Amino acid sequence: QVQLVESGGGLVQAGGSLTLSCAASGRTFDTYAMGWFRQAPGKEREFVAAISGSNIVRYYEDSVKGRFTISIDNAKTTVYLQMNSLNPEDTAVYYCALLKGAAQRMRITKAPDYWGQGTQVTVSS
């Protein structure tokens, strides 16, 4: 089993920044990807960003490109999402995810193997 624990959510004004963290523990895999999804009230959960465990490949949803940056630490167990220029449309519960396989598969299938509990991000106008 894998446990994913998120932190860093909160309330921020439009134009501000937040950094989310997600620490993974438990089983390890040779090939894996970690990423972030979000779900706003009344909407479906959507893909935000993914990074390969090798720290070579990154993917972003179009609306966050140039504003959000996903990264992974040297131990390859903690993934971060640096969010800049936040706007009210970014308000959502953000979920950390881990997929056994390539990062591209997380972007395409939107079906990771493990989920975190979610952390609320609220952007006020």
Side-chain angles (χ1 to χ4, degrees), residues 8-32:
L11 173 64
V12 65
Q13 288 188 332
S17 299
L18 276 177
T19 299
L20 305 182
S21 301
C22 172
S25 61
R27 287 186 61 187
T28 60
F29 309 99
D30 290 338
T31 302
Y32 66 97

Side-chain angles (χ1 to χ4, degrees), residues 79-91:
V79 66
Y80 304 93
L81 187 68
Q82 172 68 41
M83 304 184 293
N84 298 326
S85 301
L86 285 162
N87 58 63
E89 289 70 39
D90 295 314
T91 295

